[in-house]
Amino acid sequence: GIQVEQSPPDLILQEGANSTLRCNFSDSVNNLQWFHQNPWGQLINLFYIPSGTKQNGRLSATTVATERYSLLYISSSQTTDSGVYFCAGVGAADSWGKLQFGAGTQVVVTP
Amino acid sequence: NAGVTQTPKFQVLKTGQSMTLQCAQDMNHEYMSWYRQDPGMGLRLIHYSVGAGITDQGEVPNGYNVSRSTTEDFPLRLLSAAPSQTSVYFCASSIRQASSGNTIYFGEGSWLTVV
């Protein structure tokens, strides 16, 4: 399977600040996705982004598959953005259901 | 439409006991998976299924069994619980869509402690 590395591991933001989270993966990957886990443990799918750029409100994501990285942008952060952000993907040679997660970026947004 | 339902939410087991974590989805999804989440390690895949009657191992399958007799249900069995299996367990389901990949829906998690 693929290796997925996320940086930074922790991030503290003041409300209103912008930030960028990075996800590097070791090999060709399909099905690159970003997830948010809120402080209560709930996991929500944010983006399916195997390549290109997508935006959803204050969040956007870009994947450059040829260079094996993806970025998640948080603009005008709010306290509700706090939690852990995970990226995950499936190796090109793996079954579609075999999703591999990074260790996550813990984000704390302070008022 | 309940989505993905996991039970129990909390469980304490003694070493050597067996138990089953239940997972059910009502979205007719073909893919179902079990993950465990340990501090600082993200989610690791235990077992997954691409349809009824088809299962495969993930990254950390030892000590766990699964079966998929119906599309809706994907139970995870701990055969002989060990303290190393203390973790939070998440069940997930998804369907592969051409435009959006396989959007994944997670259950609320099951907190398991083995003493």
Side-chain angles (χ1 to χ4, degrees):
Chain A
I2 58 169
Q3 304 298 315
V4 181
E5 294 182 352
Q6 292 187 243
S7 60
D10 302 282
L11 196 57
I12 299 176
L13 300 170
Q14 191 118 30
E15 201 167 23
N18 303 327
S19 65
T20 301
L21 283 59
R22 188 176 179 102
C23 174
N24 292 331
F25 37 92
S26 61
D27 203 348
S28 297
V29 64
N30 297 321
N31 199 14
L32 198 287
Q33 303 191 42
W34 285 94
F35 298 85
H36 176 229
Q37 186 172 37
N38 67 23
W40 296 270
Q42 187 181 15
L43 279 154
I44 301 295
N45 189 308
L46 295 176
F47 293 104
Y48 167 73
I49 184 82
S51 64
T53 298
K54 287 187 178 178
Q55 180 154 8
N56 185 0
R58 295 178 297 99
L59 300 180
S60 63
T62 295
T63 297
V64 184
T66 53
E67 297 186 22
R68 300 177 184 168
Y69 72 89
S70 184
L71 303 173
L72 179 71
Y73 305 97
I74 305 174
S75 65
S76 303
S77 58
Q78 300 178 359
T79 56
T80 51
D81 295 328
S82 295
V84 184
Y85 291 81
F86 294 102
C87 68
V90 178
D94 288 329
S95 166
W96 191 262
K98 206 168 183 178
L99 203 61
Q100 182 93 10
F101 280 76
T105 294
Q106 173 91 51
V107 173
V108 175
V109 182
T110 60
Chain B
N1 187 340
V4 179
T5 303
Q6 279 182 241
T7 56
K9 194 167 181 67
F10 300 98
Q11 183 72 49
V12 179
L13 284 177
K14 293 183 178 179
T15 297
Q17 285 185 317
S18 62
M19 78 158 295
T20 299
L21 298 175
Q22 301 291 346
C23 178
Q25 52 93 7
D26 60 1
M27 298 172 282
N28 201 32
H29 284 174
E30 51 191 326
Y31 298 101
M32 294 187 76
S33 310
W34 276 103
Y35 295 87
R36 59 178 288 172
Q37 184 176 25
D38 301 298
M41 296 188 74
L43 279 78
R44 292 185 292 169
L45 181 64
I46 304 171
H47 286 285
Y48 68 100
S49 170
V50 299
I54 306 170
T55 64
D56 202 351
Q57 296 182 351
E59 181 184 355
V60 287
N62 292 340
Y64 307 95
N65 270 359
V66 292
S67 60
R68 184 100 179 265
S69 56
T70 66
T71 299
E72 294 78 20
D73 300 298
F74 192 44
L76 178 72
R77 299 181 187 85
L78 280 70
L79 308 173
S80 177
S84 61
Q85 293 179 304
T86 294
S87 190
V88 183
Y89 292 84
F90 287 95
C91 179
S93 77
S94 61
I95 188 167
R96 184 172 176 176
Q97 297 172 316
S99 60
S100 60
N102 66 332
T103 300
I104 294 177
Y105 298 85
F106 284 90
E108 294 185 342
S110 297
W111 274 253
L112 177 66
T113 301
V114 183
V115 298

